[in-house]
Amino acid sequence: MPAIDLCIRGATVVLPEGIRKISLAIDQGKVVDHRETEAKNVVDAEGLTLLPGAVDAHVHYNEPGREEWEGWTTGSRASRAGGATTVIEMPLNALPPTLDADSFSKKRAVAEKKSCVDFALWGGITPLNLGKLPELAHAGVIGFKAFMVDSGTPDFPGSDPATLKQGMSAAAKLGLPVAVHAESPDPIRHRTEEIRHKGGTSVRDYLSSRPIETELEAIRLACELAGETRCRLHIVHVSCPEGIDEIQKARRAGVDVTAETCPHYLVLTDEDMVRIGTPAKCAPPLRSATAQRGLLQKIHQGEVHTIGSDHSPSPPSMKADPDFFNVWGGIAGCQHMIPLLFSAGLSPTQIARLTSENPARRFGLYPRKGSLEIGSDADFLLVRTGVTDEVRAQDLLTTHPITPYLGIKLSARVEQVAVRGCFQPTAGQFLAPLLSQ
Ligand SMILES: [Zn+2]
């Protein structure tokens, strides 16, 4: 009787340091060898690319409380199909939002029952719960998320600079990072009021209410506060190369800050938002083709650290208002994350680093996650490249068949996904961060 559970042979294996032709021997959910080994099950993956499973640090599943928007069952299935084997779920859009130990344990309980990928949870920083950050840390949050601008849900208010600074100080003491949605509320409000006053309701009106400068101003302020508080900062969904420049500037000044971007900024532009309409509404908004080229350039220069889907679904009714300002801002796209990155021209090695190793390292999950080294969890994808698949509504696994990617051609297909060595969806495990201190 062979000693181990599974051996994957013949695949082109993508490790962050490069591509190798090795086998993956797996036992009890862990990688145990890089040599071909006799096993109970042998998968011949000749012609396929094997990638480490993505650690998608930015999803909104909205459950408990708003499961009519999505939910853990459908959300985690879609994420898994898109290449994520671990997700880190955001503290807002569920009800209650994750602002204290009680709401944390409610969400953890739902996720343990329904998630088919491993998961960790963000806690929130808002003006309502600054005193609750220690109990959230104790409960096992991966870090804290704050909004500098209106979040879109009244139960998760944005943080003014004083609140953000206080939250960052507390997070730094607790040894946890802070993820920030960086857009400046005041200039956006002024512009929006002016536009609304003239009767503006269109996609282009919305785009002009949130120019790049409003994002840069907020990134600068967040970096400054992180420097003062010695907080580890992660700027989520950076939409433009100028944003990455600000983050690089802060890093050179000694601030511990990393940058996330999302697939939608790499494959869609502001003109696509005009063409597609409400499914493509997000904040910060989609940018110009020039900005997109610049952002891709930043990825090639190694200045972007992580890619997360920012999967943020809503019911169709919230995507239907003829006034674009009233439409829910959030793109549902986790189901195509890895294929989209191939389509955007990223190399397999870049994809492995940005979607797997780097987020796992940044959020205290490495080397259990984000690695295919011996001893790591056997979380991986078998991907077929060189295909031309089209995104179709009937294939969507999300609660609502809404996505801005309909009709897009994908150059890679996630054929199989293993979480801890298992190709069949099984119950996801809760992950607490390994604290660096
Ligand atoms: Zn988000």
Side-chain angles (χ1 to χ4, degrees), residues 91 98-100 122-126 129 133 136 141 143-146 156:
T98 316
L99 297 180
D100 55 24
W122 290 96
I125 290 175
T126 72
N129 75 320
L133 307 192
L136 279 165
V141 292
F144 300 100
K145 166 82 179 287
F156 195 98

Side-chain angles (χ1 to χ4, degrees), residues 58 60 145 310:
H58 196 156
H60 302 262
K145 166 82 179 287
D310 194 4

